[in-house]
Amino acid sequence: MSEDGAGTATETFVAHRNLLFTVAYEMLGSAADAEDVLQETWLRWVEVDLEQVRDRRAYLVRITTRQALNRLRAMSRRKEAYVGSWLPEPLLTAPDVAEDAELAESVSMALMLVLETLSPTERAVFVLREVFDVGYEEIAAAVDKSAAAVRQIAHRARKHVDARRPRQAVSAAQTRAVLESFRGALESGDPQELLAVLAPDVVLVADGGGIKQAALRPVAGAVKVARFMVGGIGKNDRRNLPMTLAPTVVNGSPALAVHLDGELDGIMTVRVEDSRITGLYYVRNPEKLARVASEIPLALR
């Protein structure tokens, strides 16, 4: 590739990098793997004859999707050996992401967990079509299927996701208010205060990755979750360490950063419906906390 061609390739890649990262992350749920996918995409992109590329953005998305699909299939084997529940890697996002309803929902922990129940191809098709509004022909080229097959996969994936996603849209302000009540209840250690903010059918999922102590299976029901929170986390990891809960914005939604003795212990995010918490997600695995130190730029277009 000529020097001019290399410069053009670099400029194009940099211009779309945030979009490509968002595509890879929503397909994988792992920022570390998404970064690896971007590196693989770059290595393939610099070998492309740009004069033969009609739509460079679409071509980059296609390369990214193919690399992410390969990695997603490999990750499914890793997850089978994972200790305890697996949660997506949380990302520290700018406050304005939370105000972008479409972007915030697409990277929310609740939706990311729903996407985990799709097959790799279904997930790729759903993400490209429903989140990034990619055309069926482009998706077909990315996943090596016919456009007709992609339409069927998209319909099936959409139906699957719609049956499992939150029933109502909740604003960042509403989530923030519920999370503040939850924080106050957790700091007080009063189970009754916790029960007031937890939905009867709330589910807690904790991810320690076998490195940090965490419930190996989801905890279901308000009473059990309240007991777990007060008896487990409320006792500061059984070492009587001072605990602080600081508001933050993770995956486009208000969240809590939990610190024990001044050190980050984990990130809590919630799913809110009817002004109560129906889903509580606590990432404690230290290997998944690297992307909450600085904001990660995301983009849908």
Side-chain angles (χ1 to χ4, degrees):
M1 181 180 292
S2 68
E3 185 175 337
D4 288 344
T8 300
T10 300
E11 289 175 7
T12 304
F13 185 85
V14 170
H16 297 299
R17 189 188 187 286
N18 293 346
L19 166 68
L20 301 179
F21 176 85
T22 309
V23 169
Y25 174 73
E26 292 198 20
M27 283 185 60
L28 301 170
S30 164
D33 285 283
E35 291 286 0
D36 288 343
V37 163
L38 257 62
Q39 180 64 24
E40 293 160 2
T41 298
W42 165 251
L43 293 175
R44 284 158 178 78
W45 175 242
V46 294
E47 297 298 323
V48 172
D49 181 357
L50 298 184
E51 293 184 359
Q52 304 300 314
V53 177
R54 179 178 57 83
D55 186 335
R56 294 173 183 175
R57 173 186 177 277
Y59 201 94
L60 276 167
V61 169
R62 184 189 308 174
I63 298 174
T64 300
T65 300
R66 286 179 173 172
Q67 299 309 310
L69 264 175
N70 292 338
R71 190 162 289 258
L72 187 58
R73 294 179 178 122
M75 285 177 67
S76 64
R77 293 188 290 272
R78 278 166 34 197
K79 290 175 185 175
E80 290 175 2
Y82 197 78
V83 178
S85 299
W86 186 94
L87 287 173
E89 184 178 352
L91 305 178
L92 181 67
T93 48
D96 61 346
V97 173
E99 304 305 324
D100 183 336
E102 185 181 5
L103 177 55
E105 196 219 1
S106 73
V107 295
S108 69
M109 197 68 72
L111 182 60
M112 295 287 284
L113 281 174
V114 173
L115 296 183
E116 285 294 316
T117 63
L118 296 172
S119 71
T121 300
E122 287 174 336
R123 184 166 184 169
V125 170
F126 180 88
V127 166
L128 292 178
R129 182 60 189 167
E130 298 298 318
V131 179
F132 297 96
D133 197 30
V134 177
Y136 290 112
E137 293 289 345
E138 282 296 333
I139 299 174
V143 301
D144 293 324
K145 302 283 185 182
S146 68
V150 165
R151 287 179 183 273
Q152 292 181 336
I153 294 170
H155 175 74
R156 184 170 66 245
R158 188 185 310 115
K159 185 176 180 181
H160 179 94
V161 172
D162 286 345
R164 292 161 177 79
R165 74 199 316 168
R167 296 182 295 274
Q168 58 184 221
V170 179
S171 70
Q174 290 173 307
T175 300
R176 196 174 296 112
V178 172
L179 201 57
E180 185 61 28
S181 296
F182 172 76
R183 180 173 76 150
L186 189 57
E187 288 176 337
S188 73
D190 185 344
Q192 292 305 312
E193 286 190 35
L194 277 173
L195 289 174
V197 75
L198 298 175
D201 57 350
V202 62
V203 176
L204 163 70
V205 182
D207 179 347
I211 301 172
K212 287 283 192 72
Q213 184 178 356
L216 294 179
R217 291 178 295 277
V219 179
V223 173
K224 289 183 178 179
V225 170
R227 186 182 302 130
F228 178 88
M229 298 300 289
V230 173
I233 297 173
K235 288 187 178 178
N236 305 332
D237 203 24
R238 302 184 184 279
R239 291 174 291 169
N240 294 319
L241 299 175
M243 179 182 70
T244 58
L245 304 170
T248 186
V249 179
V250 169
N251 286 54
S253 299
L256 292 175
V258 182
H259 290 82
L260 291 180
D261 198 25
E263 293 187 4
L264 181 66
D265 180 74
I267 295 291
M268 283 188 193
T269 58
V270 295
R271 169 173 168 166
V272 174
E273 297 177 79
D274 297 321
S275 299
R276 284 192 168 188
I277 295 173
T278 57
L280 181 57
Y281 315 110
Y282 189 20
V283 179
R284 294 194 73 201
N285 183 347
E287 295 179 352
K288 292 186 177 184
L289 299 176
R291 269 72 179 185
V292 293
S294 58
E295 292 179 0
I296 303 295
L298 302 174
L300 290 182
R301 304 288 179 262

